[in-house]
């Protein structure tokens, strides 16, 4: 079976900084592949290598069976790239931007209208407006439209939902699902863990390395440690004290609670609660609320990060 | 493909009201104002006269002096030291001392001596003032059939600017300056702005070949350069009734190469820069050196040897010389070949460099 994107042990350094330290992945047709990780994890470098904008320092990668170094000229017409920053011409109107990029790819809006119709119809009322005067959500739709205008086989979206309101984010993911149905391979990066479950498969990236590549469901299912959420009136001394407890593997602030992972996988929820409440009472916390919870992707990310550091 | 790239550049340019007004106003303003201010001619020199003679003849001489536009009388002094005080206080630039025997000497022996003292703090002013004054005195003396001893006797003939009107030789030089400024600065901002806005990334992932991209950037500036040239020519013709003496086709033909070369230089700087300030100061630096070392402001032959070698690789040296030759002397193509050759070498070199320096991948 041929993969749309095959990446083998890609490395990239910027001087002494290792941005990517050997990354491998496979992406198939009709798949949304998420690269999930914080800023500075190497997401953008990976995208820029795969879209032939920069050269890797090691490893190899193929897009549609074409080598990203040797056959870069053949890759450019078949990939769509939407950079993290809005990078269309702000002083050109919506339709001028679309026409311009269509022409550079030797095509027209009409020719590929079926692919972009759904997105274009939303920005069409503003087609005479300058791109710089659009709202954040509209800009993002225009950028997606321009990235799709030449009917690419693989779509690279670098943090497409950063700085976009929750409603637009939801709409955006809906659009990605529709594009996937048309057979596109979509590689999307995001720092938002809640978007991970919207992908078919995800790679958790940290410090230029993939911690794990799996379906989000499987990543959650693989989490086999007891997990608890703890709340008290004084949260920051609580965090410090919990980390002192020898049975605790890791503890992180998570919204208004702290999530605690215990080392012993055999402990059930009652035993765990018991253990934590006695330990915390001994350390002077009397108003502690402890609940056992189901892990989400962020818990898995934090856990894997702890294992790897 | 190139057509659409150019179309896009023009759309963006057209929406930038500042650049459009710069392209139109700068040449007009420079052509209207600067020929008057950059003149080398000295007028309105302040003169103090010490007249010991006080005769009808000396009065006649003073009359003659004040009728020229070169001198302003700032007063009569009763003796030389008082006149010197005028110079010290800055009221006067030059002192003319007429001896008591002036009338008698001139009518009897047909010769007299007059003293001229000039403030040489501004050397050009002093030299020119002295020679103007000497010329006027000689002319005056000849009316009496006599001679005023002239120490410096320079026989000059100004063949291509017979009236020694300094506005005229400035015009081709100013045209060269305007073109260099506009088509040097604007392209140097162009690619770096696309880098700052991130739009270059979007272009780089398209299959556009780099020569198309660079030509798509160059041609708009080329057109702007021709517009600026035409505007300058029209304004200088209307203002100073000075059409180029040589062939217009030749003038345009050579300018077209120069404009392309200079805009390519701007693009190269833009290619290597990461932020706008960097591009701006680099082009500023380069253009200042080009102008100072081109012979436009000071003659190359009076520069030290090392500076002359820099001037000899400066495209502006050749282009300004060509412009002056066509404009003032009406030189034809064969006369210009020694200047066109280096300009053409520069052109080929710089265009190749511009295309090569643009990298679609890092």
């Amino acid at each position: 079976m041929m993969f749309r994107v095959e990446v083998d042990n890609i490395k990239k350094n910027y001087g002494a900084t290792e941005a990517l330290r050997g990354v491998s992945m496979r992406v198939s047709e009709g798949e949304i592949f998420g690269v999930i990780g914080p800023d500075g994890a190497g997401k953008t470098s990976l995208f820029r290598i795969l879209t032939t904008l920069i050269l890797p320092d090691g490893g190899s990668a193929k897009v549609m069976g074409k080598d990203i170094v040797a056959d870069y000229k053949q890759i450019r017409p078949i990939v769509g790239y939407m950079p993290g920053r809005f990078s269309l011409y702000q002083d050109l109107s919506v339709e001028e931007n679309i026409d311009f990029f269509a022409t550079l790819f030797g095509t027209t809006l009409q020719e590929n209208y079926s692919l972009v119709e759904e997105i274009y119809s939303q920005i069409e009322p503003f087609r005479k407006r300058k791109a710089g005067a659009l709202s954040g959500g509209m800009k993002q739709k225009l950028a997606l439209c321009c990235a799709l205008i030449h009917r690419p086989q693989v779509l690279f979206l670098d943090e497409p939902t950063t700085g976009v309101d929750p409603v637009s984010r939801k709409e955006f993911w809906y659009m990605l699902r529709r594009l996937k149905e048309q057979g596109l391979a979509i590689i999307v990066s995001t720092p938002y863990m809640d978007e991970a479950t919207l992908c078919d498969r995800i790679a958790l990236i940290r410090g230029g390395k993939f911690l794990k590549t799996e379906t989000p469901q499987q990543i959650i299912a693989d989490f086999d440690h007891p997990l608890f959420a703890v709340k008290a009136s004084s949260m920051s001394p609580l965090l410090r004290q919990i980390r002192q407890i020898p049975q605790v593997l890791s503890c992180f602030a998570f919204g208004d609670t702290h999530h605690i992972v215990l080392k012993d996988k055999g402990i059930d929820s009652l035993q765990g609660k018991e253990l934590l409440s006695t330990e915390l009472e001994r350390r002077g916390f009397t108003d502690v609320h402890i609940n056992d919870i189901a892990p989400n992707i962020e818990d898995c990310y934090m856990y894997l990060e702890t294992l790897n550091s | 493909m190139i057509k659409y790239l150019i179309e896009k550049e023009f759309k963006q340019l057209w929406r930038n009201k500042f650049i459009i007004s710069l392209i139109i106003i700068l040449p007009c303003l420079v052509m209207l104002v600067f020929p008057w201010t950059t003149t080398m001619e000295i007028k309105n020199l302040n003169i103090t006269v010490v007249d010991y003679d006080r005769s009808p003849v000396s009065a006649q001489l003073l009359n003659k002096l004040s009728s020229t536009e070169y001198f302003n009388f700032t007063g009569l002094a009763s003796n030389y030291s008082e006149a010197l005080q005028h110079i010290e206080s800055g009221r006067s630039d030059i002192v003319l001392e007429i001896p008591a025997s002036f009338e008698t000497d001139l009518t009897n022996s047909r010769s007299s001596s007059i003293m001229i003292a000039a403030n040489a703090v501004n050397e050009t002013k002093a030299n020119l003032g002295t020679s103007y004054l000497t010329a006027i005195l000689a002319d005056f003396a000849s009316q009496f059939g006599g001679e005023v001893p002239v120490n410096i006797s320079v026989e000059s003939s100004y063949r291509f600017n017979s009236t020694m009107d300094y506005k005229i030789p400035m015009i081709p030089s100013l045209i060269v300056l305007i073109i260099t400024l506009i088509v040097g600065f604007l392209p140097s901002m162009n690619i770096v702005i696309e880098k700052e806005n991130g739009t270059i990334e979007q272009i780089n992932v398209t299959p556009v070949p780099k020569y198309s991209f660079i030509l798509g950037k160059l041609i708009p500036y080329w057109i702007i350069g021709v517009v600026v040239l035409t505007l300058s020519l029209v304004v200088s013709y209307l203002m100073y009734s000075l059409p180029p003496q040589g062939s217009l086709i030749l003038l345009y033909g050579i300018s077209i190469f120069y404009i392309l070369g200079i805009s390519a230089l701007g693009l190269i700087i833009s290619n290597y820069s990461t932020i706008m300030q960097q591009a701006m100061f680099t082009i500023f630096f380069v253009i200042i050196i080009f102008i100072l070392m081109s012979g436009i402001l000071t003659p190359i032959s009076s520069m030290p040897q090392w500076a002359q070698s820099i001037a000899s690789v400066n495209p502006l040296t050749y282009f300004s010389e060509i412009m002056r030759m066509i404009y003032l002397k009406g030189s034809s193509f064969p006369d210009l070949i020694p200047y066109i050759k280096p300009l053409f070498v520069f052109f080929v070199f710089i265009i190749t460099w511009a295309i090569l320096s643009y990298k679609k991948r890092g």
Side-chain angles (χ1 to χ4, degrees):
Chain A
M1 169 182 177
M2 196 188 101
F3 291 100
R4 291 238 163 148
V5 178
E6 293 172 71
V7 179
D8 286 299
N9 204 26
I10 282 285
K11 292 187 177 117
K12 179 74 190 174
N13 307 322
Y14 298 107
T17 319
E18 290 178 293
L20 290 172
R21 298 185 292 170
V23 163
S24 304
M25 65 189 214
R26 299 278 182 276
V27 184
S28 327
E29 181 183 329
E31 183 176 34
I32 301 182
F33 187 91
V35 181
I36 321 278
D39 293 345
K43 302 191 295 291
T44 303
S45 295
L46 177 63
F47 278 53
R48 287 165 60 86
I49 288 171
L50 294 180
T51 50
T52 76
L53 285 169
I54 54 173
L55 293 167
D57 294 318
S60 67
K62 281 180 181 166
V63 176
M64 298 301 291
K66 312 254 187 324
D67 187 81
I68 52 150
V69 178
D71 310 321
Y72 72 96
K73 279 191 179 157
Q74 292 156 48
I75 292 179
R76 284 176 183 166
I78 52 172
V79 301
Y81 175 45
M82 183 173 150
R85 224 174 101 205
F86 180 72
S87 46
L88 299 175
Y89 292 97
Q90 313 245 9
D91 46 358
L92 295 185
S93 71
V94 167
E95 71 182 347
E96 282 167 344
N97 266 300
I98 294 176
D99 288 344
F100 177 67
F101 284 103
T103 321
L104 292 192
F105 283 104
T107 179
T108 56
L109 175 63
Q110 286 71 34
E111 213 170 301
N112 294 314
Y113 196 69
S114 60
L115 183 68
V116 295
E117 186 179 3
E118 209 165 324
I119 307 154
Y120 183 70
S121 60
Q122 295 179 50
I123 49 175
E124 203 182 358
F126 309 104
R127 66 181 192 280
K128 296 280 177 206
R129 194 180 286 186
K130 302 258 171 67
L134 291 175
S135 70
M138 285 294 161
K139 274 184 182 165
Q140 174 215 41
K141 280 169 197 152
L142 172 61
L144 183 60
C145 211
C146 287
L148 286 168
I149 198 70
H150 56 293
R151 200 176 278 276
Q153 308 284 316
V154 185
L155 186 60
F156 291 93
L157 307 168
D158 191 6
E159 299 200 8
T161 53
T162 301
V164 174
D165 69 79
V167 178
S168 298
R169 268 171 67 182
K170 227 175 179 165
E171 277 176 17
F172 192 79
W173 279 96
Y174 173 74
M175 288 189 286
L176 292 191
R177 301 239 134 240
R178 304 273 299 178
L179 289 171
K180 161 198 145 119
E181 283 162 21
Q182 301 216 29
L184 245 79
I186 302 172
I187 300 179
V188 55
S189 75
T190 176
Y192 301 123
M193 300 286 170
D194 56 322
E195 289 181 342
T197 45
L198 301 169
C199 303
D200 296 323
R201 277 193 313 135
I202 55 171
L204 299 175
I205 187 172
R206 180 182 175 273
K209 261 185 121 58
F210 281 173
L211 300 171
K212 196 165 189 171
T213 309
E214 254 307 343
T215 62
Q217 294 72 26
Q218 192 58 47
I219 285 184
I220 291 170
D222 286 349
F223 188 91
D224 51 2
H225 284 264
L227 180 71
F228 298 92
V230 182
K231 214 171 171 176
S233 54
S234 49
M235 291 299 276
S236 73
L238 182 67
L239 184 67
R240 279 197 299 277
Q241 289 300 323
I242 293 172
R243 284 179 177 165
Q244 309 270 313
I245 301 171
Q247 291 89 338
V248 169
L249 177 71
S250 67
C251 177
F252 294 98
F254 204 106
D256 58 350
T257 61
H258 295 324
H259 284 192
I260 304 172
V261 181
L262 294 183
K263 281 178 187 163
D264 190 346
K265 294 180 186 176
I267 289 179
D268 69 19
S269 95
L270 257 159
Q271 288 171 309
K273 273 188 199 171
E274 182 85 25
L275 170 98
L276 286 171
S277 59
T278 41
E279 281 289 335
L280 288 173
E281 224 161 285
R282 205 159 57 79
R283 287 171 160 80
F285 295 93
T286 48
D287 57 344
V288 190
H289 299 273
I290 307 172
N291 288 313
D292 65 322
I293 49 165
N296 60 22
I297 292 289
E298 191 163 352
D299 292 312
C300 301
Y301 185 92
M302 293 310 224
Y303 167 65
L304 291 167
E305 190 179 26
T306 318
L307 285 190
N308 278 273
S309 58
Chain B
M1 182 82 85
I2 294 182
K3 190 181 143 237
Y4 291 98
L5 287 166
I6 296 171
E7 194 184 306
K8 177 220 120 200
E9 291 298 323
F10 269 111
K11 270 185 192 155
Q12 288 186 295
L13 205 71
W14 212 242
R15 281 168 202 177
N16 193 332
K17 294 285 167 278
F18 173 73
I19 294 200
I20 290 295
S21 31
L22 181 84
I23 291 169
I24 294 168
I25 294 172
L26 187 72
C28 296
L29 201 70
V30 169
M31 294 317 294
L32 288 178
V33 175
F34 286 90
W36 302 92
T37 57
T38 49
T39 169
M40 296 286 168
E41 206 168 31
I42 307 266
K43 278 182 193 165
N44 301 323
L45 280 167
N46 294 324
I47 187 165
T48 296
V49 177
V50 187
D51 185 0
Y52 292 120
D53 193 29
R54 294 180 193 272
S55 66
V57 177
S58 69
Q60 220 178 321
L61 173 64
L62 297 188
N63 218 4
K64 188 177 171 69
L65 282 178
S66 60
S67 66
T68 70
E69 57 181 348
Y70 299 112
F71 298 105
N72 280 342
F73 272 106
T74 44
L76 281 165
S78 52
N79 56 46
Y80 183 62
S81 59
E82 191 189 321
L84 273 187
Q85 275 170 15
H86 284 195
I87 285 191
E88 274 165 28
S89 64
R91 273 174 65 193
S92 213
D93 302 308
I94 224 163
V95 172
L96 177 73
E97 194 192 57
I98 302 170
S101 57
F102 186 61
E103 189 183 10
T104 356
D105 287 353
L106 212 56
T107 40
N108 296 343
S109 64
R110 311 190 163 217
S111 130
S112 177
S113 38
I114 275 179
M115 188 178 77
I116 299 166
N119 177 10
V121 168
N122 184 335
E123 199 195 332
T124 333
K125 226 173 171 180
N127 277 334
L128 277 169
T130 313
S131 52
Y132 286 158
L133 200 51
T134 323
I136 291 169
L137 290 174
D139 183 45
F140 182 76
S142 67
Q143 290 174 13
F144 294 84
E147 277 172 19
V148 172
V150 179
N151 295 333
I152 316 148
S153 149
V154 184
E155 283 295 317
S156 316
S157 75
Y158 300 103
R159 292 178 57 194
F160 306 111
N161 182 12
S162 46
T163 52
M164 225 26 212
D165 182 348
Y166 280 93
K167 287 197 287 298
I168 291 173
M170 278 320 285
I171 286 166
S173 301
L174 286 173
I175 294 177
V176 171
L177 286 184
I178 301 166
I179 291 177
T180 310
L181 286 178
I182 293 184
V183 301
F185 267 91
L186 291 184
S188 77
M189 302 289 125
N190 189 302
I191 293 177
V192 83
I193 287 177
E194 294 225 20
K195 278 187 198 167
E196 283 195 343
N197 292 339
T199 48
I200 197 98
E201 297 262 278
Q202 289 286 7
I203 297 278
N204 287 351
V205 289
T206 67
V208 172
K210 55 181 175 180
Y211 70 87
S212 310
F213 180 75
I214 290 295
L215 288 181
K217 291 276 177 202
L218 273 181
I219 293 170
Y221 294 106
W222 190 37
I223 295 170
I224 290 171
V226 173
V227 169
V228 168
L229 173 65
T230 311
L231 215 57
S232 312
L233 289 177
V234 169
V235 172
S236 66
Y237 179 70
L238 293 178
M239 249 331 256
Y240 310 103
S241 340
L242 181 73
Q245 302 297 306
S247 144
L248 262 181
I249 296 169
L250 193 59
L251 191 142
Y252 270 90
I254 296 170
S255 302
I256 277 168
F257 280 108
Y258 179 73
I259 291 167
L260 268 181
I262 285 291
S263 13
L265 182 76
L267 285 185
I268 291 171
I269 288 169
S270 212
N271 269 335
Y272 285 109
S273 305
T274 44
I275 54 165
M276 211 148 84
Q277 280 94 329
Q278 192 188 343
M280 207 169 77
F281 282 105
T282 316
I283 190 79
F284 194 67
F285 177 74
V286 171
I287 286 189
I288 290 268
I289 289 185
F290 272 10
I291 290 175
L292 292 179
M293 298 232 159
S294 65
I296 289 183
L297 301 175
T298 46
I300 292 173
S301 51
S302 54
M303 291 178 189
Q305 194 52 50
W306 58 268
Q308 289 196 24
S309 8
I310 296 176
S312 70
V313 293
N314 179 356
L316 208 57
T317 308
Y318 300 101
F319 186 55
S320 62
E321 196 53 42
I322 290 171
M323 277 297 251
R324 278 189 219 164
M325 284 171 80
I326 297 181
Y327 220 96
L328 303 173
K329 271 164 85 175
S331 302
S332 59
F333 188 70
D335 305 327
L336 296 171
I337 287 173
Y339 301 96
I340 293 175
K341 268 191 199 158
L343 204 59
F344 191 73
V345 171
F346 162 76
F347 164 79
V348 172
F349 172 71
I350 216 85
I351 296 271
T352 318
W353 189 6
I355 293 173
L356 292 181
S357 67
Y358 168 57
K359 289 200 168 53
K360 285 189 82 177
R361 59 193 331 194

